[in-house]
Amino acid sequence: MINPKTSEQIVHTLSHASLGARPHPSLAPRPLFDPMADHAIVLYDPTVDDKPVIEVIDEEATEAERLKREQESRGPHKSLKAILGIVDVKKKQEVKVPVVIDPRLAKTLRPHQIEGVKVCPPQRDCS
């Protein structure tokens, strides 16, 4: 393209930004730092700290039962989304990942400071 006023060539670089035709890639959540490192300070570890609450389990069971009844009411035919395996974007599953302090900061923290940084989850007794 040429600018008609100055007769100079206009250089246009591509931005490579998606224009809505392609969804942005969704990356799986992961901890920022390695929780298995030698001197890692892990504030929250879902494998140890997280226990399922009975109310949440009951809600999941009722939700699964409701979905099953809804599918039975539709009849034997599947929807196009179910046949193609398209997942609804609005339903995001909550994934819990370990929370780890930056190793550079963890090196300089003293033991009493580490205790001050850690927060007690409501399910555990930290006294």
Side-chain angles (χ1 to χ4, degrees):
M1 292 176 29
I2 296 176
N3 187 350
K5 294 181 181 178
T6 60
S7 68
E8 294 178 6
Q9 187 173 6
I10 299 172
V11 179
H12 178 57
T13 58
L14 297 176
S15 65
H16 300 293
S18 63
L19 300 175
R22 190 180 321 163
H24 292 286
S26 60
L27 302 174
R30 61 179 184 84
L32 295 177
F33 305 103
D34 183 20
M36 302 303 286
D38 289 338
H39 299 288
I41 299 173
V42 181
L43 300 180
Y44 171 75
D45 188 5
T47 59
V48 177
D49 297 334
D50 197 23
K51 296 179 183 174
V53 181
I54 295 171
E55 297 170 359
V56 174
I57 294 171
D58 290 341
E59 289 176 7
E60 290 175 356
T62 55
E63 180 69 19
E65 188 176 319
R66 185 188 64 80
L67 287 173
K68 184 178 178 182
R69 276 189 264 122
E70 185 178 304
Q71 287 178 351
E72 288 175 357
S73 66
R74 288 186 189 160
H77 305 292
K78 292 184 178 181
S79 67
L80 183 61
K81 281 187 176 183
I83 293 170
L84 296 176
I86 298 173
V87 179
D88 193 8
V89 179
K90 294 178 185 176
K91 294 181 183 177
K92 291 188 177 180
Q93 294 182 356
E94 184 176 312
V95 178
K96 296 182 180 182
V97 296
V99 178
V100 183
I101 293 181
D102 188 345
R104 291 177 289 180
L105 177 64
K107 278 195 299 190
T108 60
L109 287 178
R110 296 192 176 134
H112 69 280
Q113 294 171 324
I114 294 170
E115 290 176 17
V117 170
K118 289 188 176 182
V119 177
C120 179
Q123 293 91 6
R124 284 188 13 189
D125 182 26
C126 296
S127 52

